[in-house]
Amino acid sequence: MSIIALDAPGKELLLMGNEAIARGALEAGVKVCTAYPGTPSTDIIENLASVAKPMGLYVEWSINEKVALEVASAASFSGLRALCAMKQNGLNVASDYLLSLNLIGIEAGLLLVTCDDPSAHSSSTEQDSRPFAKLADLPLLEPSTSQEAKEMTKWAFALSEEMGIVCLMRGVTRTSHARGNVTLGPLPSPDGRKAWFDKTRQRNTHPVYQKHDQLHRNLIRLEEIFAASPFNQYIGPERPKALIITCGSGWLYSQEALELLGLEDAVGVLKIGTTWPLPTTMIIEKLEKTPKVLFVEEVDSFLEGNVKELAADFSGQIGPKTFFGKRSQHIPFFGEMNADRVIDALGKIFQVRYQARSPRYEAQAAEVAEKMLPSRALGFCPGCPHRASYWSIKNALQLDNRQGFATYDIGCYALGRGPAGYYLLKTGGAMGTGTGLASGFGKLASFGFDQPVVAMCGDSTFFHAAMPPLVNACYNKSNLVMVILDNSTTAMTGFQPHPGVGRNAMGEEVAPVDIEAVCRSFGAKVSVTDPFDLEGTKQKMLQALEDPVGAKVVIMRRQCQMLKGKEEKLPYQVRVNPEICIGDDCGCDRLCTRVFKCPGLMWDKKLAQARIDEVICVGCGVCADICPEKAIIKEEIR
Amino acid sequence: MEIKSQHKGQKGLREKVLDAGLCTNCGACTNLCPYHTSYQDNPILIDTCDREEGRCYAFCPRTYTDLQALRQNLFNIDEFTPELGPFKGLYMTRAADPQVRRSAQHGGTVTTLLALALQEGLIDAAVVAEEGGTFLPAGVVAKTPSDLVRRARSKFVVSPNVATFNQAAKSGLEKIGVVATPCQALALAKMRLKPLPSKDSNIDKLHLVIGLFCGWALSWRELKSLLQGKMGKNSIVGLDIPPSKHHSMEVHTQNGIIEISLDEVLPSVRKACQYCYDLTAEFSDVSVGSARLPEGWEVARGWNQVIVRTQMGQELIALARSRGLLEFRDLPEGNWEKLQKASVNKKRAAIQNLVQRSGSSKDLLYLDGQDPVLRTLMG
C-alpha cells in the first residue's frame, strides 16, 4: 500500500508531487477518483487506487479523460468530493464536457488536476493547459513544491464547494515527479455520508447567458479570495530594481538564479499560486514599486499576458514598466524551465556575467558520453510484440507495392515513426487519430487515390477514442486496414488495465470487452493473429490490403513483454551459430542488427557476425525466424 | 561502355534497372538475400541493403552485360551466328506421346526433353512455371515426369524462375534444369561466369537450360483486368498467340476460343520487354518455340521449332530421337530465314528503344555498344 495513506499527522515524508496531490485529496476526504493514464499525471490515481479499499474510495481508470470528468462530476453532484486527473492532451479531450460543467456547477468539491509536460518528455505535444481555466472562467491553482501541492489540493476542494464550481490545478513534470518534504495533516474520519442526487434540481447549462454572467462574477469573488491566499507570496526588497513574477516550478528556479547571481537584494520574487484569476490588488501593489518585470513560467506566456492586461488597466496608477519574458525573448517559448534560463534572462537585464561552468562543458560532456555510451535509437524493448507486428506489416506493404503507409495515435507503437517501426508511420497525433485519418484517406479513391492505408491503434487507445472513427469508416464505406496492437495493457504509462484486460483499477475481476466482437458488430471484417507468427501475420495483412471493400481490422494480439516477463520464464535460449552467420556478406548484410534492430542483438565488429546480448534478450525467438541463413538458433527452455 | 554508377549493389540495381523500367522480373536477384523478392509479378525491395557490391546487381540481365565474354566462355564461338546466337541446328519436333501433346501448349517438346533429362539422371529437378487459375505463374520444382505434364502450357506473364532456381540450389538439389525465358537464360549465363569472388557455388548445380522463344510478356495486373473485362464468367483454360498475321491473342475457354485483337493486348505488355534483345533465348542448351507450317496454324500449333546450341543440348535431342520420344519433320523452306529475320527485328527494335531511353546512340544501358555483333546490327 502507498505511504500516502499513513495516518500520522505532523510526520514529515519525502513525497513526489503526485503523491502529495493524492495525499492532499485524502486529507480533504475525497471519495471518487478518476483518470485516464497519461504521463506525468498517472501516479496520482495509481497511488489512490492502491489505497482505495482501506480508505473507502472508488477509483477508476476511465476509458478517456472526458468520461473520467463525467464520472467524477456524478460523484460531486451526489455529494461526494471527487478528483479527476489527466495530462495536458487529456484536458483537450475532457474540455468538451468541461466547457459545460463550468456552467452546470458542482455540489461537493471537484478538483481537476492537469499535469503538463514541458519539453514533451513523454508527450506528443508541448502544450499549456492553463488557458482552459481562462476559457472556462474557472479558478486555477499552480503548486511549486510537494508540500504546496498537498495543501493546495486540500484547499481546492473547499474552494470548489464554496464557489460551486470545479477547480483546476496545473502541475508540470518537475512538480509532479520531483520529491520534496511534506508534513502530513490529519486524515478525516469516515463520515458515512450517503451519496444522493437531488432530483428537485436540474443540473444543466441553462439559462446559459445568466450562468455565464455568474461565472464572471465568480471571478471577482475569487480575486478577493486569492488576494489573501498564502499560496501567493513575495520575497525580496521593498522596492526592487526588478520583479520576477513566477509560478509553479519557476519559483525555485528564480530563487536559485538570484542566489547564484547575488541579486537577492536587488530583485524581488512574486510567486503566484493562484494563476487564474490573478490576485489583482497584490500584483498592482508590487508593480507600482518596480520599473522592470521578468516573467518566469513554463510553456506559454500565460502569467505574462494576463499581468500585462492588468498593467494596461492600471497604467495610470503604476506608470510605465519594462517587461521581460517570452515575448522579449529573454525566456524561451519552448522547453522546460531551469535555473540557467532564469540566470540567462537576468544576466541580460542586469548586464551580469555568470558562468556556472566552463563554456566548453557541454561539448566535453557530449564527447565523454559518446565514448562511454553506446548510441541507441529510440526503440521497442527486447521481445516487444510491436516489433514483430511492424516487421510483418512492413513486409506486407512492400509486397503490396502500392506505396502504402500507416497512420497512428499515441502509445508505445508511435515509436514506429522511427527505425523501431521501420518508419511506417507517416501521420497521426491524437488518440484515435490514426483511424480517423485512415477513414478519410480510404474515401479518396474517386480522386485517384490508390495507396493502401493502415491505421495503427493500441488496445487501450481503441477504447479511448478509436471506436468512433472505426464506426465512421464502416458507416461511410471507407476502405482501410485498422491494426489493433493488442498487448493487453496500457503499456506506455505503466501497465494500467483497460476494459479489454478483465481487471479494473480497483483490482476487481470484470468480464473483458471483446475487441474482436465490438469491431464485428460495427461491420468491420476482423481477423486475429499472433504477431510472433510472422508469416501468418503477413498473410493476414496482405489479405486485408488486397480487399478493396470496407473496413478491415487485423488484431495483432500478444501480451506486452514487460508484463509477460514478470509472469513467465524465458521461452527460448537464443544463440548465434558462428559457423553459419554470414554477417555483412552478400546474402544478409546484417539483417538482424541493421534492419530488424532488436536491442537484444549485437553486432560483433571483430568477428563481423551477430551476437545475442544475453543480459537483455528475453528469448522471444523472433530473430531466429527472420535470420535468412538460419544462423540464429532458438532452443526451448524446459 | 561501363555504366556510370559506382554502386554495384542494391542501390545500383534500383537506379539502373528498377527505377529505369528495365526489370523483367526474371528472379535472378531473388532468394539470394532477404531484401529482394517478387510478388504478384512485381519485383519488390523489402528493405535497403548497404553493400556496394552484390549478386543482385552482378546477376541481373539488365545491368551491364558483356555478351562477348558470355559467348566465348560458355559456347563454341565458331558456332555463333549474329542472328540466332550459338547455333548447332534448327529442327521441327513434337512429342511422340499424344497425351503429352494434348496437355502441352504446342508440340510438347519441352516437356519431353525435361522428362527425359530427369529419367536419365542428367538433372534431378526441373524448375518450371506453374499458374493457378489467376494467370499468375510461380516457379516450381518438378522432380518427376508427371510433375511436368500438368505445368506444360505457356505462360504469358513472367514467372521468376531464376528465383526458384536460387531457392532450389540452396535447398540441396545438386543437378537442376531450368526452363527459361531469354532474360532468365541471360541471367543464368551471367551467374555461370561467377562475377563476384563469392563462396557461393550454387550456379554449379545448373545442368540444363531449356530456353523459350519469347516476344514479350504481359503485366499480370493488366492482363487480369483485360480478361475480366472480356470473359465475364467464361472460365479460361489457356492463352495462345498465333503467328503475327493473325494479329490476335487466343483465349481458350471451355466454350471455345475467343480472339482478342493484339491492339488491345499490346498496351498490357511489360514495359521492360521493349528493351529485350533476345527472341530465341540464346544462352540456353536448346531453345524451343512455336512452329510455322505451310499447312497453316491449325497444324503448326501441334509442333515446335527447336534450336540446338550446345553439346549437352545436342546429346539430349539425339537421345530423344533415338528413343522415339520426339518426332521430327523436315523444316519447311524459308522457316530458318523467317526466324532469323524475326530475331534480328527484335534486336534492332531493342537497340532503338535503348538509344531512345538513354538519349545517346552510344549508350545502350545494359548492352555494350562496342560488342561486335551489336555493331553489325547497328550498321
Side-chain angles (χ1 to χ4, degrees):
Chain A
M1 191 173 85
S2 166
I3 51 167
I4 61 158
L6 197 65
D7 190 9
K11 191 176 169 66
E12 219 172 300
L13 292 179
L14 188 63
L15 293 185
M16 255 172 48
N18 282 349
E19 289 173 326
I21 291 169
R23 170 69 190 198
L26 289 179
E27 289 183 9
V30 75
K31 288 287 182 284
V32 171
C33 309
T34 65
Y36 181 79
T39 316
S41 72
T42 314
D43 10 32
I44 299 171
I45 294 298
E46 290 217 306
N47 276 286
L48 288 166
S50 75
V51 301
K53 289 216 168 121
M55 299 300 289
L57 314 181
Y58 171 68
V59 181
E60 79 167 36
W61 290 121
S62 310
I63 59 114
N64 66 34
E65 293 85 354
K66 178 167 170 278
V67 175
L69 183 59
E70 287 154 355
V71 171
S73 299
S76 166
F77 298 157
S78 305
L80 303 175
R81 286 186 166 184
L83 178 144
C84 178
M86 57 196 60
K87 70 182 295 177
Q88 79 273 9
N89 313 56
L91 188 54
N92 303 341
V93 176
S95 64
D96 197 10
Y97 181 59
L98 180 68
L99 271 289
S100 291
L101 182 62
N102 59 346
L103 297 171
I104 295 168
I106 55 94
E107 186 63 36
L110 176 53
L111 175 60
L112 169 54
V113 182
T114 310
C115 299
D116 290 359
D117 184 14
S119 284
H121 294 288
S122 347
S123 300
S124 59
T125 63
E126 185 181 50
Q127 183 196 326
D128 199 321
S129 64
R130 292 176 296 175
F132 276 110
K134 198 171 174 181
L135 183 67
D137 305 315
L138 291 170
L140 173 70
L141 309 178
E142 283 192 74
S144 291
T145 65
S146 288
Q147 180 74 49
E148 204 173 54
K150 192 207 80 171
E151 300 307 333
M152 264 187 189
T153 303
K154 195 173 164 184
W155 182 59
F157 284 98
L159 179 70
S160 165
E161 267 165 30
E162 182 185 337
M163 302 299 298
I165 48 179
V166 57
C167 184
L168 308 185
M169 190 159 94
R170 182 235 194 181
V172 289
T173 304
R174 299 301 159 181
T175 54
S176 282
H177 285 171
R179 287 179 185 274
N181 284 353
V182 174
T183 306
L184 302 185
L187 292 170
S189 35
D191 57 10
R193 183 202 288 223
K194 178 179 151 48
W196 182 72
F197 182 84
D198 179 3
K199 70 169 194 168
T200 63
R201 238 186 100 187
Q202 284 187 325
R203 291 198 176 270
N204 58 34
T205 60
H206 300 282
V208 175
Y209 76 91
Q210 280 167 354
K211 286 196 167 172
H212 187 200
D213 177 42
Q214 179 60 45
L215 280 177
H216 282 270
R217 280 185 280 122
N218 284 348
L219 292 174
I220 296 165
R221 166 74 187 130
L222 281 164
E223 275 190 29
E224 285 166 23
I225 296 172
F226 288 172
S229 166
F231 299 127
N232 303 322
Q233 51 176 289
Y234 175 75
I235 305 172
E238 172 63 18
R239 288 191 167 275
K241 290 184 181 144
L243 174 69
I244 293 177
I245 303 184
T246 185
C247 61
S249 62
W251 189 38
L252 296 177
Y253 294 136
S254 298
Q255 291 181 78
E256 190 182 341
L258 289 177
E259 195 184 313
L260 289 170
L261 292 175
L263 286 172
E264 296 117 305
D265 295 335
V267 179
V269 182
L270 176 59
K271 177 261 191 198
I272 307 288
T274 63
T275 34
W276 188 257
L278 287 172
T280 306
T281 46
M282 184 184 193
I283 289 172
I284 295 302
E285 186 193 316
K286 294 297 168 206
L287 287 180
E288 269 187 300
K289 294 176 180 165
T290 189
K292 293 175 181 170
V293 181
L294 169 66
F295 297 97
V296 176
E297 60 187 320
E298 284 194 296
V299 190
D300 287 340
S301 49
F302 183 76
L303 265 183
E304 185 174 337
N306 293 327
V307 169
K308 283 176 181 171
E309 259 181 41
L310 291 183
D313 287 346
F314 291 85
S315 59
Q317 182 181 336
I318 64 172
K321 304 289 163 196
T322 313
F323 291 107
F324 304 95
K326 290 177 191 278
R327 273 187 65 85
S328 68
Q329 299 186 15
H330 284 74
I331 299 281
F333 252 115
F334 61 92
E336 279 194 303
M337 184 56 61
N338 57 38
D340 286 345
R341 287 186 162 189
V342 186
I343 288 169
D344 189 51
L346 288 168
K348 282 178 190 154
I349 297 165
F350 286 94
Q351 309 288 314
V352 210
R353 279 178 60 96
Y354 173 84
Q355 231 175 56
R357 52 198 184 194
S358 135
R360 289 241 331 113
Y361 177 86
E362 294 219 359
Q364 282 168 335
E367 236 169 74
V368 173
E370 203 173 302
K371 271 186 205 145
M372 299 177 71
L373 295 169
S375 74
R376 285 211 177 97
L378 215 53
F380 297 124
C381 310
C384 177
H386 292 346
R387 181 181 299 99
S389 294
Y390 273 109
W391 186 258
S392 302
I393 296 166
K394 172 205 70 170
N395 289 347
L397 281 171
Q398 289 297 98
L399 292 180
D400 178 85
N401 202 28
R402 286 178 291 162
Q403 298 292 309
F405 61 96
T407 60
Y408 63 106
D409 313 313
I410 300 172
C412 292
Y413 54 100
L415 292 175
R417 64 191 185 272
Y422 316 110
Y423 302 98
L424 290 186
L425 305 180
K426 301 303 179 192
T427 181
M431 299 289 278
T433 294
T435 307
L437 286 168
S439 178
F441 285 119
K443 286 306 296 179
L444 302 181
S446 62
F447 304 99
F449 188 89
D450 55 5
Q451 294 162 272
V453 183
V454 179
M456 305 295 287
C457 178
D459 43 349
S460 188
T461 309
F462 176 77
F463 295 111
H464 182 291
M467 289 190 290
L470 179 60
V471 172
N472 189 70
C474 292
Y475 170 58
N476 290 302
K477 299 169 100 175
S478 180
N479 170 21
L480 65 92
V481 179
M482 179 188 195
V483 171
I484 300 175
L485 297 159
D486 181 0
N487 60 0
S488 309
T489 186
T490 315
M492 185 116 197
T493 46
F495 321 113
Q496 292 75 27
H498 62 63
V501 170
R503 187 168 39 80
N504 61 22
M506 303 282 283
E508 297 161 323
E509 298 282 320
V510 289
V513 176
D514 182 347
I515 296 178
E516 190 183 342
V518 168
C519 295
R520 280 192 210 286
S521 74
F522 292 166
K525 302 171 194 172
V526 187
S527 60
V528 183
T529 171
D530 174 358
F532 281 10
D533 170 11
L534 298 177
E535 187 55 30
T537 303
K538 184 179 85 183
Q539 290 305 333
K540 289 206 163 115
M541 272 309 290
L542 280 170
Q543 227 172 354
L545 289 168
E546 281 161 18
D547 180 345
V549 181
K552 283 76 61 177
V553 174
V554 183
I555 301 172
M556 302 193 181
R557 183 175 292 145
R558 179 168 273 266
Q559 192 183 23
C560 172
Q561 178 59 36
M562 298 288 274
L563 289 180
K564 215 174 178 63
K566 287 178 191 164
E567 291 158 14
E568 295 167 19
K569 54 180 187 165
L570 307 189
Y572 296 107
Q573 179 82 43
V574 182
R575 64 188 171 85
V576 175
N577 183 340
E579 304 282 302
I580 306 177
C581 175
I582 62 169
D584 52 6
D585 268 359
C586 182
C588 180
D589 192 28
R590 303 199 288 124
L591 178 74
C592 64
T593 53
R594 190 180 60 88
V595 185
F596 182 66
K597 278 185 184 290
C598 174
L601 291 156
M602 298 190 293
W603 175 245
D604 187 325
K605 271 188 192 159
K606 245 188 231 160
L607 293 176
Q609 285 189 323
R611 270 172 48 202
I612 304 295
D613 185 344
E614 286 163 21
V615 179
I616 61 167
C617 173
V618 297
C620 74
V622 175
C623 57
D625 296 334
I626 65 122
C627 175
E629 296 293 316
K630 305 282 166 240
I632 303 179
I633 316 288
K634 59 175 184 186
E635 286 156 328
E636 236 171 282
I637 299 173
R638 284 168 199 282
Chain B
M1 190 186 67
E2 180 54 292
I3 57 164
K4 293 155 213 145
S5 170
Q6 289 309 299
H7 283 277
K8 294 185 175 178
Q10 189 196 60
K11 192 178 170 203
L13 190 75
R14 186 199 294 264
E15 284 171 8
K16 298 288 170 191
V17 180
L18 295 166
D19 293 350
L22 260 58
C23 175
T24 65
N25 199 32
C26 73
C29 60
T30 298
N31 290 335
L32 299 169
C33 73
Y35 307 115
H36 298 249
T37 191
S38 165
Y39 184 71
Q40 292 186 342
D41 182 38
N42 283 313
I44 303 288
L45 296 186
I46 295 277
D47 292 294
T48 58
C49 168
D50 291 345
R51 290 182 53 81
E52 290 190 357
E53 196 173 58
R55 290 173 293 175
C56 55
Y57 187 92
F59 295 170
C60 175
R62 293 295 176 262
T63 56
Y64 171 74
T65 304
D66 184 348
L67 292 172
Q68 190 66 0
L70 295 177
R71 295 172 195 130
Q72 281 169 348
N73 283 289
L74 302 176
F75 298 90
N76 183 349
I77 196 76
D78 299 336
E79 292 169 354
F80 180 80
T81 67
E83 298 84 6
L84 295 174
F87 188 85
K88 283 179 185 291
L90 175 64
Y91 305 93
M92 186 158 292
T93 62
R94 69 174 187 186
D97 183 346
Q99 207 177 331
V100 170
R101 288 210 299 272
R102 261 198 301 281
S103 59
Q105 184 79 11
H106 294 136
T109 304
V110 174
T111 309
T112 305
L113 291 176
L114 280 178
L116 179 61
L118 281 170
Q119 269 162 356
E120 290 298 304
L122 298 174
I123 55 173
D124 52 22
V127 173
V128 297
E130 174 183 61
E131 72 189 18
T134 57
F135 294 97
L136 183 66
V140 289
V141 176
K143 293 183 183 169
T144 63
S146 62
D147 284 347
L148 295 169
V149 173
R150 58 199 168 87
R151 281 134 186 166
R153 299 190 72 92
S154 290
K155 282 74 192 175
F156 288 84
V157 170
V158 175
S159 158
N161 277 8
V162 189
T164 312
F165 166 78
N166 289 337
Q167 184 71 40
K170 228 194 244 181
S171 75
L173 292 165
E174 291 301 327
K175 292 189 283 184
I176 303 169
V178 179
V179 177
T181 58
C183 52
Q184 291 168 344
L186 180 55
L188 290 165
K190 289 180 85 169
M191 289 159 79
R192 285 172 70 191
L193 286 196
K194 296 191 181 170
L196 289 185
S198 165
K199 287 167 274 181
D200 189 353
S201 58
N202 283 340
I203 192 60
D204 297 339
K205 297 170 183 172
L206 179 70
H207 281 233
L208 175 67
V209 178
I210 298 189
L212 300 173
F213 294 5
C214 177
W216 36 254
L218 297 170
S219 145
W220 175 67
R221 277 180 205 249
E222 292 182 34
L223 173 66
K224 206 172 57 160
S225 64
L226 176 73
L227 292 180
Q228 266 167 0
K230 290 275 172 201
M231 296 303 126
K233 292 202 186 310
N234 264 331
S235 77
I236 299 165
V237 293
L239 299 176
D240 209 346
I241 311 268
S244 51
K245 65 175 179 190
H246 294 249
H247 198 69
S248 69
M249 181 168 83
E250 292 177 352
V251 184
H252 300 230
T253 74
Q254 275 156 341
N255 303 321
I257 293 175
I258 298 171
E259 291 199 357
I260 303 178
S261 162
L262 272 194
D263 294 336
E264 284 182 80
V265 178
L266 290 177
S268 304
V269 170
R270 280 187 94 89
K271 301 293 171 274
C273 292
Q274 63 182 312
Y275 306 114
C276 177
Y277 163 84
D278 185 359
L279 177 76
T280 60
E282 296 179 13
F283 296 104
S284 12
D285 293 297
V286 293
S287 300
V288 181
S290 60
R292 286 160 189 230
L293 286 171
E295 296 95 310
W297 174 236
E298 284 315 312
V299 180
R301 73 159 92 230
W303 288 87
N304 293 110
Q305 289 188 129
V306 178
I307 299 173
V308 175
R309 303 187 183 277
T310 64
Q311 186 71 27
M312 166 82 166
Q314 196 163 36
E315 285 167 15
L316 189 61
I317 287 277
L319 189 61
R321 177 177 243 170
S322 68
R323 294 271 172 87
L325 299 171
L326 278 186
E327 290 174 6
F328 285 69
R329 64 173 278 180
D330 288 342
L331 202 65
E333 186 89 8
N335 269 31
W336 187 1
E337 291 76 8
K338 275 183 195 158
L339 189 56
Q340 280 186 330
K341 193 177 160 212
S343 176
V344 168
N345 283 346
K346 185 170 178 186
K347 289 181 197 300
R348 291 221 167 103
I351 290 166
Q352 203 179 348
N353 292 334
L354 286 165
V355 166
Q356 200 172 14
R357 182 80 179 75
S358 75
S360 155
S361 62
K362 289 184 181 148
D363 186 358
L364 298 183
L365 300 173
Y366 74 99
L367 294 176
D368 185 351
Q370 300 307 309
D371 182 87
V373 180
L374 261 64
R375 284 174 67 103
T376 336
L377 289 165
M378 289 167 85

